[in-house]
Amino acid sequence: MSTTLCQVMGFLVASLGVAGTIVATATDTWSTQDLYDNPVTAVFQYQGLWRSCVRQSSGFTECRPYFTILGLPAMFQAVRALMIVGIVLGILGLLVCIFALKCIRIGTMEDSAKANMTLTSGIMFIVAGLCAITGVSVFANMLVTNFWMSTTNMFQGMQNVQNRYTFGSALFVGWVAGGLALVGGIMMCLACRGLIPEESRYKAVSYNASGPNISYRTGPYKGYEPDPKTRKGPGYEEAPRSEEGRRSYPSKHDYV
């Protein structure tokens, strides 16, 4: 029961993480304009991974996608790639995890196969969560660097050169979603141990003969026993040789 509960909870937590990663990637509020020095403004700007938007005080919002790929910074493109890889791995992990649930029976699938699928989906969730957390953290580092550079320019008398941007809500959603996917993957890996059959954990090594019906038996040592045909018993008597059968050889006196 605990294995099934851990597996189901891991699936639900990882599902929330993957859904949050998709929402964070599609949201346009990765960076928002800092209104610390100018809280009342007629134009409010915010940016996402795919487009930048401008919202006016009248409520009208205009968004423009990034029409270039090569013109974007390399770190920005790396963040895009990490989020996409995290989404793809998360969706694949969900598909594998659905078939690996212990409460769902598909044909004659054994528990060992379900254990392998559970471990595979858990690893996918862990990698997806790490990709999401890494992507969001890299983007946050870019924001911090640009913010302090803009602050330095402002203190040097160039405050109208560029606007400062701070963390948007999508960053926090991405961090939470990556953490949920990571926790869900760990729970799936823990549930894998409970799905492994007991008899397959410790396998004894057996040695069999090459032939199908060959058996080897050992018995007590009886010593050397001669052939019964050549063994001489108490009633055995050697037959006398006949004279014809004997071969005579000439002696030395016959040559004298």
Side-chain angles (χ1 to χ4, degrees):
M1 183 63 182
S2 59
T3 301
T4 305
L5 181 61
C6 183
Q7 191 181 31
V8 173
M9 290 300 297
F11 173 74
L12 295 177
V13 172
S15 300
L16 293 177
V18 175
T21 304
I22 296 175
V23 172
T25 305
T27 306
D28 296 328
T29 56
W30 279 66
S31 60
T32 59
Q33 183 179 357
D34 185 27
L35 302 178
Y36 177 77
D37 294 329
N38 190 12
V40 179
T41 179
V43 178
F44 178 73
Q45 299 180 6
Y46 53 94
Q47 298 176 354
L49 293 179
W50 312 103
R51 59 182 183 175
S52 60
C53 300
V54 176
R55 186 178 62 195
Q56 300 179 0
S57 59
S58 59
F60 178 75
T61 303
E62 181 181 2
C63 295
R64 176 177 297 181
Y66 303 122
F67 294 104
T68 180
I69 296 179
L70 299 178
L72 297 174
M75 298 299 294
F76 191 86
Q77 297 181 12
V79 172
R80 280 183 171 183
L82 287 172
M83 300 304 292
I84 292 175
V85 170
I87 292 174
V88 172
L89 289 178
I91 293 176
L92 292 178
L94 290 177
L95 295 178
V96 175
C97 186
I98 290 175
F99 296 102
L101 291 176
K102 192 175 182 180
C103 56
I104 298 178
R105 286 291 178 183
I106 302 177
T108 58
M109 184 179 297
E110 299 180 355
D111 290 339
S112 59
K114 285 183 174 292
N116 294 331
M117 296 175 66
T118 302
L119 180 61
T120 302
S121 62
I123 294 175
M124 287 184 176
F125 290 145
I126 291 175
V127 177
L130 292 177
C131 287
I133 293 175
T134 304
V136 175
S137 300
V138 170
F139 193 90
N141 182 57
M142 294 171 55
L143 284 180
V144 171
T145 303
N146 294 331
F147 182 87
W148 289 113
M149 289 179 61
S150 301
T151 303
T152 303
N153 294 333
M154 183 181 62
F155 281 113
Q156 292 178 357
M158 297 180 294
Q159 59 181 2
N160 296 326
V161 173
Q162 56 183 355
N163 296 323
R164 294 189 305 178
Y165 290 89
T166 186
F167 294 168
S169 59
L171 294 181
F172 301 100
V173 174
W175 273 318
V176 174
L180 290 176
L182 186 62
V183 172
I186 295 175
M187 294 179 68
M188 295 297 293
C189 293
L190 293 177
C192 171
R193 295 179 57 87
L195 294 174
I196 300 177
E198 294 292 338
E199 60 272 8
S200 63
R201 292 186 181 180
Y202 305 98
K203 294 183 179 179
V205 180
S206 59
Y207 299 93
N208 298 324
S210 59
N213 298 322
I214 297 179
S215 61
Y216 298 95
R217 295 181 180 178
T218 58
Y221 178 72
K222 297 181 180 180
Y224 172 75
E225 294 183 0
D227 191 0
K229 295 182 179 180
T230 61
R231 181 170 54 185
K232 296 181 180 180
Y236 176 79
E237 294 182 358
E238 185 179 359
R241 294 183 180 182
S242 61
E243 294 295 333
E244 292 81 4
R246 294 181 179 179
R247 182 178 180 180
S248 60
Y249 295 92
S251 62
K252 63 179 180 178
H253 299 286
D254 296 337
Y255 294 97
V256 177

